[in-house]
Every structure is written in structure tokens, then in C-alpha cells.
């Protein structure tokens, strides 16, 4: 019984941290760092665009052109671009927040955060690549896939990283398990 109570408290802490992050991001951070955040979004978006173009080219999609802000698929006359919310910046800040509340040493915490950000960006790159394929072959389901499959998938990856990659390795969590 104690274990399930502690799990509930831990999940409430995760949800509370997430909600506080989104409230502070949407108000304070956007006001204070508006121009800096736009630059980060722009640079991450361009990196993801070029990385996606490289992957598309590597797997045999050759009939596209890349501009400063989009990949245009010439055969089907469609394009894909990476908006600010798709750069992975906001999600990386979220993972920093939720991992920061774990009871582990700062050295382990920093390694965990860097590893988690890398995993998030890899998921994002795979997500953008798959959305590109959907744009080429199944454009009618692109919006649904973007909004209801891959976006929730992003937050499932964040939750997984926190739950299994972070919380299970937390010194405090291990001590709690030893008590039961």
C-alpha cells in the first residue's frame, strides 16, 4: 500500500512539474526570452529540416528540393516545414524540468538530461521523417497523424524517459523500494 501511495505522489509531482512548466513557459519565458527563443527555434528547425532531407535522400527519395524553411516534394507538389513547436526545444526544456526534480546526484542528473534530450531529438527526427512520408503518400491523414499520433507520442516518450530512465534510477526511489 505504501508503494502505490508513493507512486501516486511521484506521478502528481510529474504532472505538477509539467503544468508549472507550461504555465511559466507560456507566460514568463515567452515574455523574457522572446527573440532568443525564436532564434533557437529557427536554428533547430533548420537543422531538423536538413537532417530530414539527408535521411530522405539516403533512403532514395531524390525528387525534392530544400529551401530555407521547407522541403518541397516535386512529384506530388507538396511540402513540409518545421514550425516552432516542432523543433523540440520546448520539449527539451520540459525534460530538463521533470528530470531536475529527481533525487539523484547532479552529475548523474546532467548526464540523464543530456541523454534524454538526445533521445527526444532522435524521436523528433524520426517523427518528421515519417510525417514527410505521410505527406508524400497519404496526405489526407497528415494532419491527424501530426496532431493525434506523433504529438502525443512525443509526450509518451517524455513520460517514458522520466518513468524508466529517470525515476527508476533515482536514489530516493531506490531507497523507498528498499524500505518496502
Amino acid at each position: 500500500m505504501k508503494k502505490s501511495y508513493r507512486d501516486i505522489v511521484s506521478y502528481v509531482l510529474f504532472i505538477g512539474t509539467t503544468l508549472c512548466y507550461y504555465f511559466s513557459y507560456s507566460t514568463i519565458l515567452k515574455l523574457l526570452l522572446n527573440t532568443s527563443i525564436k532564434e533557437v527555434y529557427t536554428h533547430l528547425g533548420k537543422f531538423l529540416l536538413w537532417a530530414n532531407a539527408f535521411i530522405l535522400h539516403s533512403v532514395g527519395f531524390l525528387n525534392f528540393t530544400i529551401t530555407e524553411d521547407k522541403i518541397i516534394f516535386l512529384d506530388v507538389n507538396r511540402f513540409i516545414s518545421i514550425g516552432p513547436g516542432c523543433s523540440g526545444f520546448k520539449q527539451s526544456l520540459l525534460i530538463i524540468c521533470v528530470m531536475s526534480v529527481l533525487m539523484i546526484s547532479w552529475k548523474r542528473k546532467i548526464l540523464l538530461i543530456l541523454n534524454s534530450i538526445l533521445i527526444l531529438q532522435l524521436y523528433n527526427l524520426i517523427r518528421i521523417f515519417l510525417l514527410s512520408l505521410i505527406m508524400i503518400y497519404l496526405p489526407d491523414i497528415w494532419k491527424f497523424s501530426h496532431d493525434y499520433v506523433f504529438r502525443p507520442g512525443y509526450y509518451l516518450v517524455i513520460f517514458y524517459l522520466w518513468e524508466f530512465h529517470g525515476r527508476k534510477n533515482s536514489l530516493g526511489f531506490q531507497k523507498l523500494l528498499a524500505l518496502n
Side-chain angles (χ1 to χ4, degrees), residues 1-13 162-163 167-168 173 176-177 179-180:
M1 188 70 171
K2 287 182 181 181
K3 185 178 171 186
S4 64
Y5 174 74
R6 289 183 178 117
D7 284 344
I8 291 170
V9 170
S10 186
Y11 292 126
V12 168
L13 181 64
W162 173 78
E163 172 69 21
R167 194 173 80 100
K168 296 292 186 198
F173 188 74
L176 290 175
L177 289 178
L179 294 173
N180 291 325

Side-chain angles (χ1 to χ4, degrees), residues 11-180:
Y11 292 126
V12 168
L13 181 64
F14 174 81
I15 292 168
T17 303
T18 303
L19 292 174
C20 287
Y21 164 77
Y22 276 107
F23 173 73
S24 64
Y25 180 84
S26 64
T27 56
I28 299 166
L29 284 176
K30 277 189 177 179
L31 293 173
L32 295 177
L33 304 172
N34 199 14
T35 55
S36 299
I37 287 177
K38 284 182 182 176
E39 286 182 29
V40 172
Y41 283 146
T42 301
H43 291 303
L44 276 173
K46 285 181 182 180
F47 169 77
L48 289 167
L49 198 68
W50 282 97
N52 188 37
F54 175 78
I55 294 171
L56 285 167
H57 188 269
S58 297
V59 297
F61 291 96
L62 304 175
N63 203 9
F64 66 87
T65 186
I66 186 166
T67 66
E68 187 174 322
D69 62 345
K70 65 182 97 172
I71 296 175
I72 302 169
F73 304 108
L74 301 173
D75 290 341
V76 292
N77 198 25
R78 295 184 196 102
F79 70 91
I80 190 165
S81 61
I82 300 176
C86 296
S87 68
F89 178 69
K90 185 169 35 170
Q91 293 83 357
S92 295
L93 287 178
L94 174 60
I95 203 74
I96 290 169
C97 289
V98 297
M99 294 296 187
S100 294
V101 299
L102 294 173
M103 295 186 301
I104 57 177
S105 69
W106 277 102
K107 181 180 177 182
R108 284 185 66 198
K109 197 177 290 194
I110 289 170
L111 290 173
L112 184 65
I113 288 170
L114 292 174
N115 189 25
S116 297
I117 290 172
L118 177 65
I119 291 168
L120 280 176
Q121 289 301 328
L122 285 173
Y123 171 79
N124 197 24
L125 188 56
I126 292 167
R127 179 182 78 93
I128 291 168
F129 172 71
L130 292 174
L131 284 169
S132 296
L133 295 180
I134 291 170
M135 179 59 76
I136 294 168
Y137 295 112
L138 301 165
D140 295 337
I141 66 164
W142 187 90
K143 181 153 179 57
F144 177 83
S145 300
H146 179 273
D147 293 347
Y148 301 109
V149 176
F150 291 110
R151 185 179 294 159
Y154 218 140
Y155 294 99
L156 286 173
V157 170
I158 291 171
F159 180 76
Y160 173 81
L161 289 169
W162 173 78
E163 172 69 21
F164 296 103
H165 193 53
R167 194 173 80 100
K168 296 292 186 198
N169 294 316
S170 172
L171 298 175
F173 188 74
Q174 291 173 0
K175 288 178 187 174
L176 290 175
L177 289 178
L179 294 173
N180 291 325

